[in-house]
Amino acid sequence: MEAVFSILVGIFFSVAIYLMLSRHSVRLLLGIAILGNAVNLLLLTAGRLTREVPPIIGAGQDTLASSAANPLPQALILTAIVISFCFFCFLMVLVWRAFQELKTDDTHEMRAAEPVSAPLPPLGY
């Protein structure tokens, strides 16, 4: 099962990188969301995927059984899901406001700081 999830993580990472290299800010936003999901799935896969033994330390034991799933990555993923959703919402509002202000979602046309007609900077001193 870990091999399937590892392949899925690789696909998620490659799709996320492809979308983040796009010129359009909506694709960039979706790439960041997919990247967050890929990292969460990577952490889940690293914490062992098993349902044979629950992650409970029994009476008279000092450590967790080696065949049990690690509960720490699962707890970290719950926190990461909330944080990535908040970050996605913030970026979505930022992209929407940029689209309202500049009337484009193409990042090459968002040249408010560097207008097209501006002279080039000096090439040497």
Side-chain angles (χ1 to χ4, degrees), residues 42-59:
L42 177 69
L43 285 174
L44 182 69
T45 306
R48 286 178 296 217
L49 301 171
T50 181
R51 288 190 262 171
E52 297 170 5
V53 180
I56 298 172
I57 299 175

Side-chain angles (χ1 to χ4, degrees), residues 31 34 42 53-54 58 64 71 75-76 85-86 103 107 116 118:
I34 292 173
L42 177 69
V53 180
L64 189 63
L76 290 174
F85 181 71
C86 293
K103 304 290 188 243
T107 56
V116 178

Side-chain angles (χ1 to χ4, degrees), residues 47-121:
R48 286 178 296 217
L49 301 171
T50 181
R51 288 190 262 171
E52 297 170 5
V53 180
I56 298 172
I57 299 175
Q61 295 178 340
D62 291 336
T63 60
L64 189 63
S66 63
S67 61
N70 191 354
L72 182 63
Q74 296 172 10
L76 290 174
I77 290 168
L78 286 175
T79 306
I81 289 170
V82 173
I83 292 171
S84 64
F85 181 71
C86 293
F87 185 62
F88 175 75
C89 290
F90 172 72
L91 287 178
M92 189 168 56
V93 169
L94 194 65
V95 166
W96 176 249
R97 286 293 298 144
F99 178 75
Q100 282 181 336
E101 192 70 29
L102 301 172
K103 304 290 188 243
T104 184
D105 98 342
D106 189 358
T107 56
H108 288 281
E109 293 176 10
M110 294 180 180
R111 299 179 60 110
E114 301 173 1
V116 178
S117 62
L120 293 174

Side-chain angles (χ1 to χ4, degrees), residues 2 5-10 12-13 34-49 73 77:
E2 282 88 2
F5 276 106
S6 299
I7 292 170
L8 189 62
V9 166
F12 274 14
F13 270 110
I34 292 173
L35 182 69
N37 289 332
V39 169
N40 290 340
L41 193 60
L42 177 69
L43 285 174
L44 182 69
T45 306
R48 286 178 296 217
L49 301 171
I77 290 168

Side-chain angles (χ1 to χ4, degrees), residues 24-34 87-88 91-92 95:
H24 300 282
S25 53
V26 174
R27 289 182 186 169
L28 175 72
L29 181 67
L30 291 175
I32 290 172
I34 292 173
F87 185 62
F88 175 75
L91 287 178
M92 189 168 56
V95 166

